[in-house]
Amino acid sequence: MKSSIFMLPSSDPIDTLRSALDRIRILEAEVLKLQPTLIQSEKSIRVFHLGRLIRIALSRVLFFKAESNYTRIYLTDGQQYYVSRTLKSWTDEICNTRFIRCHRSYLINHNEVEELNRASGEIRLTSGIIVPTSRRFQKTSIRSIFQSSSKPSHLPTAKPECAVHKLSIKSPLKCN
């Protein structure tokens, strides 16, 4: 008779079933202990504001707006934070999340997009705020909005869903 890791040496099937149920209960208790840790592991950002360090879940962020070397962060509950960081630094930090660069000055939360008007080049967010798109970013932002919404969310993706792409310009001039 072959023995398995999961089988107990007991010959009574009822004892085997009871011990299996006990192990299942122990595993369920361990999972319940780990659930708060999983909830806290939601992707977030840290913001220094008025001498305090504030942790903000990315799901609460409506959009980022660049203002020179500063960024204004708009949250879904109406709060705003003015931070001394460039939009590019935020883009690099949250690139693998569902944020879309639709304009040179805007980085929006994909989940907050309600409507996209291609004629006017504007995106309406669920809060009613209208964000402009630029010709430079319009094609990638449209593609990422529609591709992301058509894919099932439970399937893994091969590439990160970052809509920010670096443009490279190759110079035709050659130095001798």
Side-chain angles (χ1 to χ4, degrees):
M1 181 165 127
K2 293 183 179 179
S3 68
S4 172
I5 298 172
F6 302 106
M7 293 184 71
L8 296 175
S10 172
S11 61
D12 188 17
I14 293 175
D15 287 339
T16 306
L17 183 60
R18 282 185 185 143
S19 64
L21 288 173
D22 288 339
R23 285 184 287 170
I24 289 172
R25 286 186 193 109
I26 291 169
L27 288 173
E28 285 176 341
E30 291 294 322
V31 168
L32 289 174
K33 287 179 189 175
L34 291 175
Q35 277 182 341
T37 309
L38 295 174
I39 293 170
Q40 290 176 354
S41 68
E42 179 183 3
K43 185 79 173 156
S44 62
I45 57 173
R46 290 181 198 94
V47 173
F48 288 104
H49 183 71
L50 300 174
R52 300 176 305 167
L53 178 64
I54 302 169
R55 185 174 158 259
I56 302 171
L58 283 177
S59 60
R60 290 183 53 214
V61 176
L62 192 58
F63 64 94
F64 295 85
K65 182 181 179 188
E67 296 178 6
S68 187
N69 286 333
Y70 295 88
T71 305
R72 189 173 300 273
I73 303 170
Y74 292 83
L75 302 183
T76 54
D77 59 2
Q79 289 182 325
Q80 296 179 19
Y81 293 100
Y82 193 64
V83 183
S84 175
R85 279 183 67 180
T86 62
L87 191 62
K88 172 141 178 40
S89 69
W90 288 113
T91 304
D92 294 341
E93 182 177 333
I94 62 171
C95 185
N96 291 335
T97 58
R98 310 277 285 204
F99 279 80
I100 301 166
R101 183 83 179 257
C102 64
H103 189 274
R104 181 175 154 193
S105 300
Y106 289 90
L107 185 62
I108 62 172
N109 188 342
H110 174 272
N111 298 330
E112 298 294 327
V113 174
E114 183 176 283
E115 177 184 333
L116 174 69
N117 187 340
R118 289 183 72 180
S120 65
E122 297 173 336
I123 295 175
R124 179 189 308 268
L125 302 177
T126 55
S127 64
I129 297 173
I130 295 177
V131 176
T133 61
S134 63
R135 285 181 288 166
R136 176 181 173 193
F137 292 105
Q138 193 171 28
K139 188 179 283 186
T140 43
S141 55
I142 290 171
R143 184 178 23 205
S144 62
I145 288 170
F146 288 112
Q147 283 180 349
S148 299
S149 62
S150 64
K151 289 181 184 176
S153 61
H154 66 279
L155 294 177
T157 56
K159 294 191 319 188
E161 295 184 20
C162 184
V164 180
H165 299 285
K166 200 177 221 182
L167 297 177
S168 61
I169 301 172
K170 294 182 180 178
S171 176
L173 301 174
K174 292 183 181 178
C175 297
N176 291 330

